[in-house]
Amino acid sequence: MTAPDRARTSPGRGTTRREFLTGVTGALTAAAMAGGKLLGSAEEGATAKPIRGPGKTKITLEVNGRRRELSVEPRTTLLAALRDELRLTGTKSVCELGQCGACTILLGQTARYACLTLAVQADGRSVTTIEGLASPAGDLHPLQAAFVETDGLQCGFCTPGQVMAAAALLRRRPDPKPEEIRAALAGNTCRCAAYPKIFEAVALAASRLKPRP
């Protein structure tokens, strides 16, 4: 299975590259046609829909529990907004094609590729990045601690995305089977091939986070 195939089939990862490009094209076309006004009219029987752009538009995100107001162009990806506007560089920019998973964040409770998500699509929603996983006091999340403890990384560049994909898994499946861990991380590429240790780290964290009877 190729990397793009893995990205498309990875559960809970949301937008595909094709859907992203379709969305960007549609948004820009609508903006050009509407000239920044409302799309459709009562005469046409269309539902009036506010159009973003073509210039910058204001959005509000709840990032790591903190309300953030931004002014972004409709074409701005969530990845660019997080890294360039909010300086949250823990979310890595690598392929920007939805192939490697290094930019994985949580949009609500769902893992998403930030490079394939427009910032305006996240307007009004909660976003969790790797910086928001630790406790306010700075204590590592059990997943982060497990990655350290099991040496579940080598160069570490893919690690934030791996951890966030695992976090999404454990939120929906607190006691995952080994095959479910592998499937959940199928959209995250580790060029160092540290997969056995990564899977071990997720299983260890799951065992610690699992509700006790």
Side-chain angles (χ1 to χ4, degrees):
M1 182 181 291
T2 65
D5 289 337
R6 288 196 300 272
R8 282 192 292 271
T9 56
S10 181
R13 210 55 63 93
T15 308
T16 65
R17 187 165 30 158
R18 174 172 297 188
E19 291 167 345
F20 173 75
L21 293 173
T22 301
V24 171
T25 303
L28 293 177
T29 301
M33 293 176 63
K37 299 178 182 178
L38 296 180
L39 180 64
S41 67
E43 294 179 355
E44 296 168 342
T47 302
K49 207 170 183 180
I51 298 299
R52 302 298 186 101
K56 288 189 174 182
T57 183
K58 291 184 178 179
I59 63 171
T60 301
L61 307 176
E62 184 181 320
V63 182
N64 299 331
R66 180 180 172 190
R67 179 185 170 93
R68 307 297 295 265
E69 294 185 349
L70 300 174
S71 182
V72 298
E73 294 182 0
R75 64 176 180 169
T76 302
T77 64
L78 182 57
L79 175 62
L82 292 171
R83 288 181 57 85
D84 301 338
E85 302 292 333
L86 300 180
R87 302 300 179 189
L88 294 171
T89 55
T91 303
K92 299 304 181 187
S93 175
V94 182
C95 73
E96 298 192 28
L97 293 171
Q99 294 184 2
C100 73
C103 65
T104 301
I105 51 87
L106 300 186
L107 185 60
Q109 300 294 317
T110 305
R112 295 289 293 265
Y113 292 142
C115 74
L116 292 189
T117 304
L118 294 173
V120 293
Q121 292 177 300
D123 187 17
R125 302 188 63 183
S126 67
V127 177
T128 305
T129 70
I130 191 69
E131 291 92 342
L133 215 53
S135 74
D139 297 324
L140 292 179
H141 185 278
L143 264 170
Q144 295 170 305
F147 268 71
V148 173
E149 190 172 329
T150 62
D151 201 19
L153 63 149
Q154 287 192 33
C155 79
F157 212 77
C158 72
T159 306
Q162 303 273 8
V163 171
M164 297 311 295
L169 167 66
L170 297 187
R171 290 187 182 190
R172 70 175 185 275
R173 184 73 171 167
D175 189 18
K177 298 176 181 176
E179 58 268 27
E180 292 174 318
I181 294 175
R182 289 194 293 274
L185 299 183
N188 292 73
T189 301
C190 174
R191 294 184 179 181
C192 303
Y195 295 110
K197 293 293 185 181
I198 291 172
F199 300 152
E200 182 182 339
V202 178
L204 176 61
S207 69
R208 291 173 173 172
L209 288 169
K210 185 168 57 177
R212 304 299 176 191

